[in-house]
C-alpha cells in the first residue's frame, strides 16, 4: 500500500486569505482535532509581521501547542531569514519558504526579485545549518506560480527548472511545486514533475501544492501520484488561496483528498469520520464563511472501509 502524506495548510494558507481572524482557541482546537484524526503534518501559520497579516499574529502560540502533540510535524511558512529566526526559536520542525517563479508575483508577494530571493534562501539555509543537529528544522522551498501566474501569465518551464536547481544550490533541502493560481492540468503536472526531477533528483521533489480553482485539483493529484509524488498540501473545507494572486482561490479540500486517496488504496493514516468531524470546529469559529467539499456533503459511501 502506497504511503501518502497529506499536509494540512488551512491554518496558514486558508486563514491568511480571509478577512476575519479566527480566535486562537479555535485554531488550537482545529489543529489538535486534525492531529487526533491522523493528520501527520500541519502548517500552523506564517511568521510575517502582524501588521501585514493579522490573521497570523498568534503563530508562535500555535507552534507551542502543536509541538506538544506526539507524532505531528509542525510546519511554518517563513518569507525570509528574520521569519526563520523566529520559527527556530519557537521550535518548529519544518520551514517552508515561498519562491515565486513569476518575478512579477515575487515582487508583489515579498517585494524581492529572483536574485534577492535566492540570496534570502541562502541566508536561511546558512542559519538552519548552524543549528544543532538534534533540533535543526527541515528547510523546503515551495516554487510558487510554477504553472502560471494571474499577473504575468504563462511561466516558462525552462525558468522553473533553472530556478529549482538554483534553489537547491543555495542550500534548501528540497523543492515543491505550487500551483498557486490554479493554472495546472494533469499533463502539465506530469511534464513539470518529470522535468524538475530530472534536473534535481527524485528525492529532492516530493511535494505538490495544488489549487482547485478550475476544478482540476484532484485530477492533478492523480497525475502527481503517477509520477511518484508522495506529499500533497490541502486545506480543510478548501479554505484559502493567495491574497497576492487575484482570482486564485481554491485550495484542494482535505476531506475530498483524504477520501480519494483511501478509495484508491493509499495509506494516509487518517480516520475519515474523525476528519469530517473537524469541519464543525472551523464552521463554528467562522460562521458564514464558505466551506467546500463533496465528501462532507455526501458522506462516506455505505460500507466504505478505508
Amino acid at each position: 500500500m502506497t504511503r501518502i502524506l497529506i499536509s494540512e495548510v488551512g491554518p496558514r494558507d486558508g486563514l491568511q486569505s480571509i478577512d476575519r481572524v479566527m480566535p486562537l482557541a479555535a485554531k488550537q482546537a482545529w489543529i489538535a482535532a486534525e492531529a487526533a484524526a491522523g493528520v501527520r503534518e500541519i502548517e500552523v501559520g506564517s511568521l510575517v509581521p502582524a501588521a501585514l497579516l493579522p490573521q497570523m499574529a498568534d503563530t508562535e502560540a500555535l507552534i507551542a501547542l502543536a509541538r506538544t502533540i506526539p507524532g505531528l510535524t509542525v510546519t511554518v511558512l517563513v518569507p525570509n531569514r528574520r521569519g526563520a529566526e523566529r520559527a527556530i526559536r519557537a521550535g518548529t520542525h519544518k520551514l517552508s519558504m515561498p519562491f515565486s517563479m513569476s518575478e512579477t508575483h515575487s515582487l508583489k508577494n515579498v517585494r524581492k526579485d529572483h536574485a534577492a530571493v535566492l540570496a534570502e534562501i541562502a541566508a536561511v539555509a546558512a542559519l538552519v545549518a548552524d543549528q544543532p543537529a538534534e533540533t535543526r528544522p527541515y528547510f523546503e522551498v515551495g516554487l510558487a506560480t510554477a504553472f502560471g501566474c494571474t499577473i504575468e501569465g504563462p511561466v516558462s518551464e525552462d525558468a522553473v527548472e533553472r530556478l529549482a536547481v538554483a534553489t537547491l544550490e543555495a542550500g534548501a533541502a528540497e523543492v515543491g511545486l505550487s500551483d498557486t493560481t490554479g493554472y495546472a492540468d494533469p499533463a502539465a503536472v506530469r511534464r513539470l514533475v518529470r522535468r524538475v526531477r530530472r534536473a534535481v533528483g527524485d528525492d529532492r521533489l516530493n511535494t505538490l501544492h495544488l489549487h482547485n480553482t478550475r476544478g482540476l485539483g484532484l485530477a492533478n493529484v492523480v497525475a502527481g501520484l503517477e509520477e511518484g509524488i508522495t506529499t500533497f498540501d490541502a486545506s480543510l473545507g478548501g479554505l484559502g488561496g493567495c491574497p497576492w494572486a487575484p482570482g486564485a482561490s481554491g485550495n484542494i479540500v482535505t476531506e475530498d483528498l483524504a477520501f480519494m486517496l483511501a478509495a484508491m488504496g493509499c495509506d494516509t493514516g487518517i480516520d475519515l469520520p474523525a476528519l469530517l468531524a473537524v469541519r464543525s470546529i472551523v464552521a463554528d469559529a467562522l460562521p458564514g464563511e464558505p466551506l467546500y467539499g463533496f465528501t462532507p456533503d455526501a458522506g462516506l459511501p455505505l460500507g466504505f472501509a478505508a
Side-chain angles (χ1 to χ4, degrees):
M1 182 179 288
T2 305
R3 181 76 159 161
I4 299 297
L5 175 66
I6 293 178
S7 181
E8 172 62 58
V9 300
R12 194 278 302 175
D13 197 13
L15 296 183
Q16 77 170 18
S17 302
I18 62 177
D19 293 332
R20 283 181 289 174
V21 176
M22 180 184 277
L24 174 60
K27 293 181 185 179
Q28 291 172 325
W30 176 5
I31 290 166
E34 271 212 45
V39 174
R40 294 175 285 128
E41 180 173 295
I42 300 178
E43 190 175 59
V44 300
S46 176
L47 288 170
V48 297
L52 293 178
L53 282 176
Q55 303 94 323
M56 300 289 106
D58 52 10
T59 294
E60 276 130 329
L62 292 172
I63 295 170
L65 173 279
R67 276 182 50 83
T68 68
I69 301 173
L72 179 66
T73 298
V74 183
T75 302
V76 172
L77 183 140
V78 297
N80 50 35
R81 190 183 194 279
R82 185 177 302 172
E85 289 171 347
R86 291 174 60 192
I88 290 169
R89 284 197 300 270
T92 191
H93 300 131
K94 182 176 177 181
L95 307 179
S96 176
M97 183 172 168
F99 180 15
S100 295
M101 300 295 91
S102 158
E103 199 157 35
T104 307
H105 181 265
S106 183
L107 290 165
K108 184 74 171 177
N109 190 21
V110 294
R111 300 176 186 173
K112 290 183 174 69
D113 63 14
H114 284 164
V117 176
L118 284 168
E120 200 71 54
I121 290 169
V124 172
L127 175 68
V128 169
D130 284 343
Q131 305 309 306
E134 62 274 14
T135 59
R136 184 179 300 144
Y138 193 77
F139 178 35
E140 180 178 10
V141 172
L143 305 180
T145 66
F147 296 91
C149 172
T150 53
I151 304 170
E152 192 172 300
V155 172
S156 163
E157 291 183 2
D158 289 343
V160 176
E161 178 184 337
R162 173 177 55 81
L163 292 169
V165 171
T167 295
L168 296 176
E169 289 175 344
E174 186 177 328
V175 294
L177 294 176
S178 298
D179 184 23
T180 314
T181 56
Y183 273 41
D185 60 74
V189 169
R190 292 188 186 95
R191 188 171 61 247
L192 194 57
V193 168
R194 289 176 188 173
R195 182 164 185 170
V196 173
R197 279 187 149 186
R198 278 197 302 268
V200 305
D202 289 355
D203 60 336
R204 309 294 291 276
L205 169 59
N206 298 292
T207 301
L208 289 179
H209 177 100
L210 300 167
H211 284 209
N212 195 45
T213 311
R214 292 172 177 83
L216 297 180
L218 293 183
N220 292 337
V221 169
V222 174
L225 286 170
E226 291 172 348
E227 294 302 321
I229 295 296
T230 54
T231 299
F232 296 91
D233 292 351
S235 178
L236 195 85
L239 280 174
C242 177
W244 296 280
S249 60
N251 282 295
I252 56 175
V253 177
T254 303
E255 302 97 310
D256 288 344
L257 176 61
F259 169 72
M260 184 189 78
L261 292 172
M264 293 174 67
C266 298
D267 175 18
T268 64
I270 292 175
D271 178 328
L272 281 168
L275 177 67
L276 293 174
V278 179
R279 192 179 178 94
S280 63
I281 296 172
V282 178
D284 290 345
L286 298 171
E289 191 66 38
L291 297 178
Y292 303 96
F294 291 98
T295 306
D297 289 342
L300 298 175
L302 183 64
F304 179 83

